[in-house]
Amino acid sequence: MTSAAASALEHLVDRDPSITGAEIASELVPPPQFAAASFESYRPDPDFPSQQAALDRLKTFAGAWRAAQRPGGFFSRKRPARIELPGVYLDGGFGVGKTHLLASLWHVAHGPKYFGTFIEYTALVGALGYRPAVELLRGARLVCIDEFELDDPGDTMLMTRFLGELMAGGTRVAATSNTPPNALGEGRFAAADFLREIHALSSNFETLRIDGLDYRRRDTEGHAEALTDDEAVAHAASALASRGHRVSIDSFDALMAHLSTVHPSKYIKLIDGIEFIALTGVRELTDQNAALRLVAFIDRVYDAEVPILAGGVPLDRVFGGDMLSGGYRKKYQRSMSRMIALTTGELPPHD
């Protein structure tokens, strides 16, 4: 590594980003891989008719916006022949296209509208405070929530209250969710759990079940790629930097320590402008809090489509101990799938 190339490398651990509620709200749009998602580009699997049925129903849901503009909105006594609920929940396993459909719905909606993961909305509340966050999103025509988390009762209650206030003002909500800890059929269908956890709002949601196979067909096949050693990581990072790319390089332990000091809402700013992330000394994690921070970080890296160069243990093998048999295993499995994509150049595979 030349001294010039070495000096061009950046370090995530040197960054101390700040972010405002308004900045978080401005980021509440579909990730880049779904910037052009549409109902027309969704390809239902003919072996699973529920995919076409969900597509058709969402088109109808999208076409009912005019009904929401009538006096009384969705809660008017004068309803169309079919009762149009203000909420829709997409219920299906990995890789059946839930996020594609959710983004397609967002794209056809007239603004103001928001699209984000559960953690992004809770981060918004954390950054602004509950009441200012409600006021910021009040009046939205549509709020899309991808990967609604059901494993933290406090956050679930917070979001239920939050959505209740928005829906009372005429906002429509579309959501997908993660399966709660130890649920039967984990990794498949979570509608009953979702409706139970948001019981105060459950009567406002229509469930669309989407069967199918993971289109990535990855499941347990393949692993994240790891370079031979830390020297190889540094050499590859230096080569990319010498060609004008913005590359960060950090030791895995240093990054994990730094993530513990940065709120997850700021992870997107932590990697702002970075084109490649290099990590040395990747090892197995035994602390669950650290593992969950890594999951949140990988989600932001994945959404930003930033490839990772790593040395040491393959990234998809960092979740040690009983993590993959515990209550958060679905989060870890999703993160492992994304780590494989980020290290093998298979971007963008997504649900």
Side-chain angles (χ1 to χ4, degrees):
M1 181 189 303
T2 66
S3 58
S7 63
L9 295 173
E10 302 182 45
H11 304 285
L12 298 182
V13 297
D14 292 338
R15 294 185 167 196
D16 183 20
S18 61
I19 192 167
T20 66
E23 287 176 315
I24 296 175
S26 71
E27 296 288 340
L28 291 176
V29 298
Q33 56 266 46
F34 292 108
S38 67
F39 290 139
E40 290 70 29
S41 62
Y42 180 73
R43 296 289 180 262
D45 187 333
D47 292 332
F48 297 93
S50 62
Q51 293 187 17
Q52 181 66 54
L55 174 63
D56 293 341
R57 182 68 192 100
L58 278 179
K59 287 181 178 179
T60 302
F61 183 83
W65 249 273
R66 284 174 295 182
Q69 296 176 320
R70 297 170 184 168
F74 288 103
F75 304 101
S76 171
R77 294 181 180 276
K78 297 180 180 180
R79 294 184 181 274
R82 173 169 183 155
I83 296 177
E84 196 67 56
L85 297 175
V88 62
Y89 168 70
L90 307 183
D91 177 35
F94 290 119
V96 296
K98 300 189 304 297
T99 301
H100 185 127
L101 289 171
L102 196 66
S104 300
L105 179 65
W106 185 91
H107 283 301
V108 300
H110 297 291
K113 55 188 177 180
Y114 301 95
F115 183 109
T117 62
F118 182 88
I119 192 173
E120 289 174 306
Y121 287 107
T122 56
L124 177 68
V125 176
L128 288 184
Y130 179 82
R131 183 52 52 192
V134 170
E135 294 305 318
L136 181 65
L137 269 59
R138 190 182 297 282
R141 300 290 297 280
L142 176 69
V143 168
C144 292
I145 306 173
D146 200 18
E147 302 167 358
F148 199 108
E149 303 282 5
L150 298 173
D151 45 34
D152 187 310
D155 281 347
T156 301
M157 290 177 61
L158 172 70
M159 282 300 293
T160 299
R161 179 187 169 202
F162 186 75
L163 293 177
E165 292 208 40
L166 294 178
M167 294 174 87
T171 297
R172 305 181 86 189
V173 174
T176 71
S177 84
N178 284 320
T179 311
N182 304 317
L184 292 176
E186 187 169 0
R188 289 292 296 166
F189 303 108
D193 304 292
F194 175 78
L195 296 175
R196 183 185 65 247
E197 295 300 324
I198 64 160
H199 58 88
L201 296 178
S202 60
S203 62
N204 292 321
F205 277 84
E206 175 184 359
T207 297
L208 301 182
R209 177 165 171 163
I210 309 175
D211 298 274
L213 301 174
D214 184 343
Y215 75 89
R216 291 166 298 212
R217 305 296 196 275
R218 185 177 294 121
D219 289 342
T220 58
E221 296 181 6
H223 289 288
E225 290 186 358
L227 299 185
T228 54
D229 52 37
D230 290 348
E231 184 177 348
V233 173
H235 180 77
S238 177
L240 288 166
S242 68
R243 293 198 291 269
H245 294 291
R246 292 189 65 182
V247 184
S248 69
I249 184 166
D250 298 273
S251 77
F252 184 70
D253 282 345
L255 177 63
M256 294 308 303
H258 190 54
L259 291 181
S260 70
T261 70
V262 179
H263 190 276
S265 65
K266 301 178 183 178
Y267 287 174
I268 188 63
K269 295 290 286 289
L270 191 66
I271 60 173
D272 185 40
I274 297 296
E275 297 177 82
F276 292 89
I277 292 172
L279 296 175
T280 61
V282 176
R283 63 173 179 82
E284 184 179 282
L285 295 172
T286 56
D287 177 76
Q288 187 140 259
N289 289 327
L292 292 173
R293 282 192 290 269
L294 180 60
V295 167
F297 177 74
I298 290 296
D299 283 346
R300 301 287 74 77
V301 174
Y302 180 83
D303 286 345
E305 299 181 325
V306 180
I308 295 177
L309 312 170
V313 173
L315 270 172
D316 63 319
R317 297 182 181 179
V318 299
F319 302 120
D322 297 326
M323 291 183 190
L324 293 180
S325 59
Y328 296 110
R329 65 182 177 272
K330 185 174 180 181
K331 286 186 179 181
Y332 297 139
Q333 289 168 345
R334 183 189 74 234
S335 190
M336 290 162 62
S337 176
R338 294 180 172 185
M339 289 167 172
I340 293 171
L342 290 167
T343 60
T344 59
E346 296 180 18
L347 290 167
H350 204 284
D351 185 10

